[in-house]
Amino acid sequence: MSGAGREAVDLELDCRGMRCPLPVIVLAREFSAVPVGGLVAVACTDVAARVDVPAWCRMRGQEYAGESAADDGTPVHLVRRLV
Amino acid sequence: MRYRSEPPPAYLDAASAEPLHPAARSALLAALDTGYADPRRLHGPARSARLLLDNAREVVATALGVRPDEVTFTPSGTHAVHLGVLGLLAGRSRHGDHLVASAVEHSAVLHAGEWHERRGGRLSLAPVDRAGRVRIRDLPPEPTVLAVQTANHEVGTVQPVAELPGTAPVFTDACASMGRLPLPTGWAAAAGSAHKWGGPAGVGVLLVRKGSRWRHPFPGDDRIDERTTGFENVPAALAAAAALQAVVEERAERTARQHALVSLVRSRVAAEVPDVEVVGDPEDRLPHLVTFSCLYVDGEALVTELDRRGFAVASGSACTASTLTPSHVLAAMGVLTHGNVRLSLGRDATREEVEAFLDALPAVVSSIRAEAGL
């Protein structure tokens, strides 16, 4: 998870190959495992995740912390738990 | 041919295609027998066809508040869009090659822009706000032509066409709004599509304002109207004109009724379906159209289950698109793209149908979520 290396990631979710809305479902299901302030990294090949993960953050009151890339080039979406 | 014996479905996808208006049907049937000849010829049957075509042009001009010589019939709305965008660019080729289009234009506009790019031109997209309205202050600089739709075809938001800067001629794609809302002011060229107002498919309308610099971007043809291509479908043009005249005459009553029904959908969906985002401008919008997205729901499953229960709706979710990419409109707005439903009311849509849809929706959404383990 090279791009996220600057900051510790508390939970990594591998959603490669999943189609929408599965990555967001996985994110919602696993999210409560990290403490408030924690960072979740979701690796998604599905292009809809680029819109849907930030939209989920907005609807859920969480912070979208940007996008980086995994070592294999897969986009990785970073989400910080605020509530 | 019928595929099922249940009651006919509630057709809630009029923004994809409005059923043929009765006025269009009778005009079409009458003109099929009299409008077959080549309107350019000098004999009697040709004069009849020419008369019908001129009549269609005048009726459309009156319905839209433009001049008859500003109206061109095209073989589709898509073709009218291509002619409008590329013809304005061709007319200004000495000034520049920069097309600026809003990021939420119909794909027909974006395809024209990409075609322009492949020929060495430039295309820039103008950002929109969360409601899908183009941000005029953030327009890319130095446009040669500006393309901003009259109202968005997916979320209904009306665009501020009249407020665009006067530095470049404006093409406005009015396909989603023609017949339903009056045309805005301030455009040099515009396009409409008859099957979206209750005319037949295969008829588009290109409008080019008198005095605008427009040049044919394609090989052109030797028709009466220099902007058109190919033998005119005179009966279909007349039917399209008859439908447009009728829907404009009926507009005041229908707009008020549809606007209120869509407001009902917006408020009940937001109140009765958990984790849903109803998008687009709540008031300054097309009267007949509403879009919402349901968190954790597969758009294809949602549309399929609604169809099974008798409701025909569209979706902008990736899994429902031939390209498997989410709607570029929803993406540009930054709103949820999955679990998306676009509901649009045709002229005969009833309050009962809309209420039946609203009664059925929460259980459909919760059953799909339950299957996903949520």
Side-chain angles (χ1 to χ4, degrees):
Chain A
M1 205 82 39
S2 59
R6 273 174 283 127
E7 206 174 345
V9 167
D10 298 283
L11 176 66
E12 291 181 14
L13 299 172
D14 182 4
C15 297
R16 288 175 179 82
M18 291 183 192
R19 291 249 179 91
C20 79
L22 270 179
V24 176
I25 290 176
V26 170
L27 173 62
R29 234 190 241 144
E30 307 295 328
F31 193 68
S32 54
V34 304
V36 170
L39 197 63
V40 180
V42 198
C44 301
T45 44
D46 180 29
V47 290
R50 186 163 285 141
V51 182
D52 286 357
V53 172
W56 180 86
C57 292
R58 183 169 45 76
M59 290 171 79
R60 283 276 166 232
Q62 310 298 350
E63 180 193 338
Y64 182 67
E67 182 182 328
S68 66
D71 293 336
D72 64 354
T74 303
V76 175
H77 302 283
L78 298 169
V79 178
R80 186 177 308 284
R81 181 168 179 187
L82 296 184
V83 286
Chain B
M1 197 156 43
R2 286 194 65 104
Y3 294 97
R4 59 173 111 209
S5 52
E6 297 109 88
Y11 183 70
L12 302 171
D13 191 19
S16 294
E18 172 87 40
L20 196 67
H21 195 285
R25 173 183 294 274
S26 53
L28 184 64
L29 291 176
L32 281 172
D33 289 329
T34 49
Y36 58 88
D38 187 340
R40 291 176 308 173
R41 303 292 176 226
L42 302 176
H43 46 67
R47 279 197 298 278
S48 299
R50 175 75 190 260
L51 210 62
L52 294 179
L53 187 61
D54 288 348
N55 181 233
R57 202 186 307 281
E58 273 165 35
V59 168
V60 167
T62 304
L64 298 178
V66 301
R67 298 163 48 120
D69 61 359
E70 294 174 333
V71 176
T72 293
F73 292 107
T74 65
S76 67
T78 299
H79 194 60
V81 165
H82 293 170
L83 283 170
V85 172
L86 298 169
L88 288 181
L89 282 165
R92 296 254 303 169
S93 59
R94 284 187 195 164
H95 299 266
D97 63 358
H98 189 201
L99 173 64
V100 171
S102 90
V104 295
E105 292 300 302
H106 189 277
S107 59
V109 173
L110 301 180
H111 283 145
E114 286 156 17
W115 196 84
H116 174 63
E117 267 189 319
R118 289 199 295 276
R119 275 150 188 77
R122 290 175 296 152
L123 167 67
S124 302
L125 298 182
V128 298
D129 64 17
R130 185 60 44 74
R133 182 167 286 112
V134 67
R135 300 204 311 245
I136 292 182
R137 272 181 297 179
D138 298 322
L139 282 175
E142 296 177 11
T144 310
V145 171
L146 266 170
V148 177
Q149 63 202 180
T150 305
N152 186 265
H153 53 291
E154 283 187 37
V155 302
T157 300
V158 170
Q159 300 290 356
V161 174
E163 296 152 40
L164 293 169
T167 50
V170 171
F171 168 79
T172 190
D173 170 13
C175 288
S177 64
M178 198 169 273
R180 302 180 188 275
L181 297 176
L183 282 169
T185 56
W187 48 269
S193 183
H195 74 90
K196 291 185 190 290
W197 70 64
V203 182
V205 167
L206 168 70
L207 305 175
V208 178
R209 271 286 188 228
K210 187 89 180 159
S212 297
R213 296 176 71 88
W214 184 94
R215 236 178 51 212
H216 208 305
F218 302 136
D221 203 350
D222 302 321
R223 309 304 304 173
I224 300 156
D225 178 347
E226 61 178 9
R227 295 191 185 111
T228 198
T229 305
F231 191 102
E232 299 87 350
N233 188 342
V234 174
L238 193 74
L244 186 62
Q245 183 179 44
V247 299
V248 168
E249 279 169 5
E250 301 156 359
R251 180 158 65 198
E253 178 275 326
R254 178 177 305 144
T255 296
R257 182 164 49 83
Q258 291 182 335
H259 200 278
L261 280 175
V262 164
S263 294
L264 177 73
V265 174
R266 295 186 72 96
S267 61
R268 277 194 60 186
V269 167
E272 296 172 22
V273 181
D275 292 318
V276 72
E277 194 166 36
V278 184
V279 302
D281 193 294
E283 285 303 320
D284 193 12
R285 56 165 167 82
L286 289 170
H288 67 303
L289 184 157
V290 55
T291 288
F292 54 88
S293 296
C294 309
L295 203 51
Y296 313 132
V297 170
D298 178 331
E300 185 178 6
L302 187 53
V303 169
T304 306
E305 179 57 20
L306 287 168
D307 177 57
R308 203 182 64 77
R309 295 183 183 221
F311 303 102
V313 298
S315 172
S317 295
C319 44
T320 66
S322 54
T323 52
L324 286 178
T325 55
S327 149
H328 69 274
V329 172
L330 301 176
M333 292 163 64
V335 299
L336 202 64
T337 72
H338 68 245
N340 179 260
V341 165
R342 181 187 70 180
L343 181 150
S344 53
L345 307 175
R347 65 178 176 279
D348 294 329
T350 63
R351 174 172 279 269
E352 289 69 32
E353 286 172 329
V354 170
E355 287 181 342
F357 170 84
L358 291 168
D359 292 342
L361 181 69
V364 171
V365 171
S366 63
S367 70
I368 295 171
R369 282 177 178 159
E371 276 172 39
L374 289 158

Short mmCIF file of all heavy atoms in Angstrom, two decimals, chain B residues 137-184:
data_model
loop_
_atom_site.label_atom_id
_atom_site.label_comp_id
_atom_site.label_asym_id
_atom_site.label_seq_id
_atom_site.Cartn_x
_atom_site.Cartn_y
_atom_site.Cartn_z
N ARG B 137 -18.79 30.77 -12.67
CA ARG B 137 -17.54 31.43 -12.29
C ARG B 137 -16.31 30.55 -12.55
O ARG B 137 -15.20 31.04 -12.59
CB ARG B 137 -17.58 31.85 -10.81
CG ARG B 137 -18.21 33.23 -10.62
CD ARG B 137 -18.22 33.61 -9.16
NE ARG B 137 -19.06 32.68 -8.39
CZ ARG B 137 -19.24 32.76 -7.07
NH1 ARG B 137 -18.61 33.66 -6.37
NH2 ARG B 137 -20.02 31.90 -6.46
N ASP B 138 -16.54 29.25 -12.67
CA ASP B 138 -15.42 28.33 -12.87
C ASP B 138 -15.35 27.80 -14.30
O ASP B 138 -14.75 26.75 -14.55
CB ASP B 138 -15.53 27.14 -11.89
CG ASP B 138 -15.47 27.62 -10.45
OD1 ASP B 138 -14.69 28.55 -10.17
OD2 ASP B 138 -16.20 27.07 -9.60
N LEU B 139 -15.97 28.52 -15.24
CA LEU B 139 -15.89 28.09 -16.64
C LEU B 139 -14.44 28.13 -17.11
O LEU B 139 -13.73 29.10 -16.83
CB LEU B 139 -16.71 29.04 -17.53
CG LEU B 139 -18.23 28.89 -17.55
CD1 LEU B 139 -18.84 29.99 -18.40
CD2 LEU B 139 -18.65 27.52 -18.08
N PRO B 140 -13.99 27.11 -17.82
CA PRO B 140 -12.63 27.18 -18.40
C PRO B 140 -12.51 28.41 -19.29
O PRO B 140 -13.47 28.80 -19.96
CB PRO B 140 -12.54 25.88 -19.21
CG PRO B 140 -13.51 24.95 -18.56
CD PRO B 140 -14.64 25.83 -18.10
N PRO B 141 -11.34 29.06 -19.29
CA PRO B 141 -11.20 30.33 -20.00
C PRO B 141 -11.18 30.19 -21.52
O PRO B 141 -10.85 29.13 -22.05
CB PRO B 141 -9.86 30.88 -19.49
CG PRO B 141 -9.10 29.67 -19.04
CD PRO B 141 -10.12 28.68 -18.57
N GLU B 142 -11.51 31.28 -22.18
CA GLU B 142 -11.39 31.45 -23.63
C GLU B 142 -12.07 30.37 -24.46
O GLU B 142 -11.45 29.72 -25.28
CB GLU B 142 -9.90 31.56 -24.01
CG GLU B 142 -9.27 32.80 -23.41
CD GLU B 142 -7.79 32.91 -23.70
OE1 GLU B 142 -7.29 32.13 -24.53
OE2 GLU B 142 -7.15 33.78 -23.10
N PRO B 143 -13.37 30.20 -24.24
CA PRO B 143 -14.09 29.25 -25.09
C PRO B 143 -14.32 29.83 -26.49
O PRO B 143 -14.50 31.04 -26.64
CB PRO B 143 -15.43 29.07 -24.37
CG PRO B 143 -15.62 30.34 -23.61
CD PRO B 143 -14.25 30.85 -23.25
N THR B 144 -14.28 28.96 -27.48
CA THR B 144 -14.69 29.36 -28.83
C THR B 144 -16.20 29.15 -28.97
O THR B 144 -16.90 29.96 -29.59
CB THR B 144 -13.95 28.51 -29.88
OG1 THR B 144 -12.55 28.55 -29.60
CG2 THR B 144 -14.21 29.02 -31.29
N VAL B 145 -16.67 28.06 -28.40
CA VAL B 145 -18.11 27.75 -28.34
C VAL B 145 -18.39 27.18 -26.96
O VAL B 145 -17.59 26.41 -26.42
CB VAL B 145 -18.51 26.73 -29.43
CG1 VAL B 145 -19.94 26.24 -29.22
CG2 VAL B 145 -18.35 27.34 -30.83
N LEU B 146 -19.53 27.56 -26.38
CA LEU B 146 -19.96 27.03 -25.09
C LEU B 146 -21.14 26.10 -25.30
O LEU B 146 -22.10 26.48 -25.97
CB LEU B 146 -20.43 28.18 -24.20
CG LEU B 146 -19.46 28.83 -23.23
CD1 LEU B 146 -20.11 30.09 -22.65
CD2 LEU B 146 -19.12 27.87 -22.11
N ALA B 147 -21.08 24.90 -24.73
CA ALA B 147 -22.22 23.99 -24.80
C ALA B 147 -22.78 23.76 -23.41
O ALA B 147 -22.11 23.16 -22.56
CB ALA B 147 -21.80 22.66 -25.44
N VAL B 148 -23.97 24.28 -23.17
CA VAL B 148 -24.64 24.11 -21.87
C VAL B 148 -26.10 23.76 -22.15
O VAL B 148 -26.81 24.52 -22.81
CB VAL B 148 -24.55 25.37 -21.00
CG1 VAL B 148 -25.32 25.17 -19.69
CG2 VAL B 148 -23.09 25.72 -20.69
N GLN B 149 -26.50 22.62 -21.64
CA GLN B 149 -27.86 22.13 -21.86
C GLN B 149 -28.90 23.06 -21.24
O GLN B 149 -28.59 23.83 -20.32
CB GLN B 149 -27.98 20.73 -21.25
CG GLN B 149 -27.78 20.76 -19.76
CD GLN B 149 -27.35 19.45 -19.12
OE1 GLN B 149 -27.18 19.39 -17.93
NE2 GLN B 149 -27.18 18.40 -19.88
N THR B 150 -30.14 22.96 -21.70
CA THR B 150 -31.22 23.75 -21.12
C THR B 150 -31.58 23.21 -19.73
O THR B 150 -31.73 23.96 -18.78
CB THR B 150 -32.45 23.71 -22.04
OG1 THR B 150 -32.05 24.14 -23.33
CG2 THR B 150 -33.55 24.61 -21.54
N ALA B 151 -31.70 21.89 -19.64
CA ALA B 151 -31.96 21.23 -18.35
C ALA B 151 -31.35 19.84 -18.44
O ALA B 151 -31.30 19.24 -19.51
CB ALA B 151 -33.45 21.15 -18.05
N ASN B 152 -30.91 19.33 -17.31
CA ASN B 152 -30.22 18.04 -17.33
C ASN B 152 -31.18 16.87 -17.50
O ASN B 152 -32.21 16.78 -16.83
CB ASN B 152 -29.38 17.86 -16.06
CG ASN B 152 -28.55 16.59 -16.14
OD1 ASN B 152 -28.96 15.55 -15.66
ND2 ASN B 152 -27.41 16.67 -16.81
N HIS B 153 -30.79 15.96 -18.36
CA HIS B 153 -31.62 14.82 -18.75
C HIS B 153 -31.68 13.74 -17.69
O HIS B 153 -32.54 12.88 -17.73
CB HIS B 153 -31.08 14.24 -20.05
CG HIS B 153 -29.61 13.91 -19.97
ND1 HIS B 153 -28.65 14.88 -19.87
CD2 HIS B 153 -28.97 12.73 -19.93
CE1 HIS B 153 -27.45 14.30 -19.79
NE2 HIS B 153 -27.62 13.00 -19.82
N GLU B 154 -30.77 13.74 -16.74
CA GLU B 154 -30.77 12.68 -15.72
C GLU B 154 -31.31 13.16 -14.38
O GLU B 154 -31.93 12.39 -13.66
CB GLU B 154 -29.35 12.14 -15.51
CG GLU B 154 -28.92 11.20 -16.62
CD GLU B 154 -27.59 10.54 -16.31
OE1 GLU B 154 -27.33 10.21 -15.14
OE2 GLU B 154 -26.81 10.38 -17.27
N VAL B 155 -31.01 14.42 -14.01
CA VAL B 155 -31.42 14.88 -12.69
C VAL B 155 -32.39 16.06 -12.76
O VAL B 155 -32.92 16.47 -11.73
CB VAL B 155 -30.20 15.24 -11.81
CG1 VAL B 155 -29.29 14.03 -11.67
CG2 VAL B 155 -29.44 16.42 -12.36
N GLY B 156 -32.62 16.61 -13.95
CA GLY B 156 -33.67 17.61 -14.14
C GLY B 156 -33.27 19.05 -13.89
O GLY B 156 -34.01 19.97 -14.25
N THR B 157 -32.10 19.28 -13.31
CA THR B 157 -31.70 20.64 -12.94
C THR B 157 -31.66 21.56 -14.17
O THR B 157 -31.07 21.22 -15.20
CB THR B 157 -30.30 20.61 -12.28
OG1 THR B 157 -30.40 19.79 -11.11
CG2 THR B 157 -29.82 22.00 -11.91
N VAL B 158 -32.29 22.73 -14.04
CA VAL B 158 -32.30 23.73 -15.11
C VAL B 158 -30.97 24.48 -15.07
O VAL B 158 -30.49 24.85 -13.99
CB VAL B 158 -33.49 24.69 -14.96
CG1 VAL B 158 -33.38 25.87 -15.91
CG2 VAL B 158 -34.80 23.93 -15.21
N GLN B 159 -30.37 24.69 -16.23
CA GLN B 159 -29.07 25.36 -16.30
C GLN B 159 -29.25 26.86 -16.56
O GLN B 159 -30.20 27.26 -17.23
CB GLN B 159 -28.22 24.75 -17.42
CG GLN B 159 -27.94 23.26 -17.25
CD GLN B 159 -27.00 22.96 -16.09
OE1 GLN B 159 -26.47 23.86 -15.44
NE2 GLN B 159 -26.80 21.68 -15.82
N PRO B 160 -28.31 27.67 -16.07
CA PRO B 160 -28.42 29.13 -16.24
C PRO B 160 -27.93 29.59 -17.62
O PRO B 160 -26.98 30.38 -17.72
CB PRO B 160 -27.51 29.66 -15.11
CG PRO B 160 -26.47 28.59 -14.94
CD PRO B 160 -27.15 27.28 -15.26
N VAL B 161 -28.58 29.11 -18.67
CA VAL B 161 -28.11 29.39 -20.04
C VAL B 161 -28.10 30.89 -20.33
O VAL B 161 -27.14 31.43 -20.89
CB VAL B 161 -28.99 28.64 -21.07
CG1 VAL B 161 -28.62 29.03 -22.49
CG2 VAL B 161 -28.84 27.14 -20.89
N ALA B 162 -29.15 31.59 -19.88
CA ALA B 162 -29.25 33.03 -20.18
C ALA B 162 -28.19 33.84 -19.46
O ALA B 162 -27.91 34.98 -19.84
CB ALA B 162 -30.65 33.53 -19.81
N GLU B 163 -27.59 33.27 -18.40
CA GLU B 163 -26.59 34.01 -17.62
C GLU B 163 -25.16 33.73 -18.05
O GLU B 163 -24.21 34.26 -17.46
CB GLU B 163 -26.74 33.66 -16.13
CG GLU B 163 -28.07 34.08 -15.53
CD GLU B 163 -28.47 33.20 -14.36
OE1 GLU B 163 -27.61 32.82 -13.56
OE2 GLU B 163 -29.68 32.85 -14.27
N LEU B 164 -24.98 32.90 -19.08
CA LEU B 164 -23.62 32.58 -19.53
C LEU B 164 -22.96 33.83 -20.11
O LEU B 164 -23.65 34.69 -20.67
CB LEU B 164 -23.67 31.47 -20.58
CG LEU B 164 -24.13 30.10 -20.05
CD1 LEU B 164 -24.41 29.15 -21.22
CD2 LEU B 164 -23.07 29.50 -19.13
N PRO B 165 -21.64 33.94 -19.99
CA PRO B 165 -20.97 35.12 -20.53
C PRO B 165 -21.14 35.19 -22.05
O PRO B 165 -21.18 34.17 -22.72
CB PRO B 165 -19.49 34.90 -20.16
CG PRO B 165 -19.35 33.44 -19.90
CD PRO B 165 -20.69 32.98 -19.40
N GLY B 166 -21.23 36.41 -22.57
CA GLY B 166 -21.48 36.58 -23.99
C GLY B 166 -20.23 36.51 -24.85
O GLY B 166 -20.22 36.96 -25.99
N THR B 167 -19.16 35.92 -24.30
CA THR B 167 -17.89 35.92 -25.01
C THR B 167 -17.81 34.88 -26.11
O THR B 167 -16.95 34.95 -26.97
CB THR B 167 -16.73 35.67 -24.02
OG1 THR B 167 -17.07 34.51 -23.24
CG2 THR B 167 -16.54 36.84 -23.10
N ALA B 168 -18.72 33.90 -26.08
CA ALA B 168 -18.69 32.84 -27.10
C ALA B 168 -20.12 32.44 -27.41
O ALA B 168 -20.99 32.52 -26.54
CB ALA B 168 -17.91 31.63 -26.58
N PRO B 169 -20.39 32.03 -28.66
CA PRO B 169 -21.75 31.56 -28.96
C PRO B 169 -22.08 30.30 -28.16
O PRO B 169 -21.20 29.49 -27.88
CB PRO B 169 -21.68 31.26 -30.47
CG PRO B 169 -20.25 31.13 -30.80
CD PRO B 169 -19.49 31.97 -29.81
N VAL B 170 -23.36 30.19 -27.79
CA VAL B 170 -23.80 29.10 -26.92
C VAL B 170 -24.61 28.11 -27.73
O VAL B 170 -25.55 28.49 -28.46
CB VAL B 170 -24.65 29.65 -25.76
CG1 VAL B 170 -25.31 28.52 -24.97
CG2 VAL B 170 -23.81 30.54 -24.86
N PHE B 171 -24.26 26.82 -27.59
CA PHE B 171 -25.13 25.75 -28.05
C PHE B 171 -25.86 25.23 -26.84
O PHE B 171 -25.23 24.88 -25.84
CB PHE B 171 -24.33 24.61 -28.70
CG PHE B 171 -25.19 23.39 -28.90
CD1 PHE B 171 -26.07 23.33 -29.97
CD2 PHE B 171 -25.16 22.34 -28.00
CE1 PHE B 171 -26.91 22.22 -30.13
CE2 PHE B 171 -26.00 21.23 -28.15
CZ PHE B 171 -26.86 21.18 -29.23
N THR B 172 -27.20 25.16 -26.91
CA THR B 172 -27.94 24.57 -25.80
C THR B 172 -28.69 23.33 -26.27
O THR B 172 -29.50 23.38 -27.20
CB THR B 172 -28.87 25.59 -25.11
OG1 THR B 172 -29.36 25.01 -23.89
CG2 THR B 172 -30.05 26.01 -25.96
N ASP B 173 -28.37 22.20 -25.62
CA ASP B 173 -29.06 20.95 -25.89
C ASP B 173 -30.38 20.99 -25.12
O ASP B 173 -30.39 20.91 -23.90
CB ASP B 173 -28.18 19.78 -25.43
CG ASP B 173 -28.92 18.46 -25.45
OD1 ASP B 173 -30.02 18.39 -26.03
OD2 ASP B 173 -28.39 17.48 -24.87
N ALA B 174 -31.48 21.13 -25.88
CA ALA B 174 -32.80 21.24 -25.24
C ALA B 174 -33.59 19.94 -25.40
O ALA B 174 -34.82 19.93 -25.26
CB ALA B 174 -33.56 22.42 -25.84
N CYS B 175 -32.90 18.84 -25.67
CA CYS B 175 -33.60 17.58 -25.94
C CYS B 175 -34.47 17.15 -24.75
O CYS B 175 -35.56 16.63 -24.93
CB CYS B 175 -32.60 16.47 -26.29
SG CYS B 175 -31.88 16.68 -27.94
N ALA B 176 -33.96 17.35 -23.53
CA ALA B 176 -34.72 16.89 -22.37
C ALA B 176 -35.90 17.81 -22.04
O ALA B 176 -36.85 17.40 -21.38
CB ALA B 176 -33.79 16.79 -21.15
N SER B 177 -35.83 19.06 -22.49
CA SER B 177 -36.80 20.05 -22.03
C SER B 177 -37.77 20.53 -23.11
O SER B 177 -38.80 21.13 -22.79
CB SER B 177 -36.05 21.28 -21.48
OG SER B 177 -35.32 21.90 -22.52
N MET B 178 -37.47 20.26 -24.38
CA MET B 178 -38.27 20.86 -25.45
C MET B 178 -39.73 20.42 -25.35
O MET B 178 -40.03 19.24 -25.23
CB MET B 178 -37.69 20.51 -26.82
CG MET B 178 -38.19 21.43 -27.93
SD MET B 178 -37.25 21.22 -29.47
CE MET B 178 -35.90 22.36 -29.18
N GLY B 179 -40.63 21.40 -25.38
CA GLY B 179 -42.04 21.12 -25.22
C GLY B 179 -42.49 21.17 -23.76
O GLY B 179 -43.66 21.37 -23.47
N ARG B 180 -41.54 20.96 -22.86
CA ARG B 180 -41.88 20.91 -21.43
C ARG B 180 -41.59 22.23 -20.75
O ARG B 180 -42.28 22.64 -19.81
CB ARG B 180 -41.09 19.80 -20.73
CG ARG B 180 -41.34 18.44 -21.35
CD ARG B 180 -40.55 17.36 -20.65
NE ARG B 180 -40.65 16.11 -21.36
CZ ARG B 180 -41.64 15.23 -21.20
NH1 ARG B 180 -42.61 15.50 -20.35
NH2 ARG B 180 -41.67 14.11 -21.89
N LEU B 181 -40.51 22.91 -21.18
CA LEU B 181 -40.14 24.23 -20.66
C LEU B 181 -39.92 25.13 -21.86
O LEU B 181 -39.46 24.66 -22.91
CB LEU B 181 -38.83 24.16 -19.86
CG LEU B 181 -38.79 23.31 -18.59
CD1 LEU B 181 -37.37 23.32 -18.03
CD2 LEU B 181 -39.76 23.84 -17.55
N PRO B 182 -40.20 26.43 -21.74
CA PRO B 182 -39.86 27.34 -22.84
C PRO B 182 -38.34 27.35 -23.05
O PRO B 182 -37.58 27.08 -22.12
CB PRO B 182 -40.34 28.71 -22.35
CG PRO B 182 -41.25 28.43 -21.19
CD PRO B 182 -40.82 27.12 -20.61
N LEU B 183 -37.91 27.67 -24.27
CA LEU B 183 -36.48 27.77 -24.52
C LEU B 183 -35.91 28.95 -23.73
O LEU B 183 -36.59 29.96 -23.55
CB LEU B 183 -36.23 28.00 -26.01
CG LEU B 183 -36.32 26.79 -26.91
CD1 LEU B 183 -36.33 27.22 -28.37
CD2 LEU B 183 -35.17 25.82 -26.65
N PRO B 184 -34.66 28.83 -23.26
CA PRO B 184 -34.04 29.99 -22.62
C PRO B 184 -33.66 31.01 -23.68
O PRO B 184 -33.85 30.77 -24.88
CB PRO B 184 -32.79 29.39 -21.97
CG PRO B 184 -32.43 28.24 -22.85
CD PRO B 184 -33.74 27.69 -23.37
#
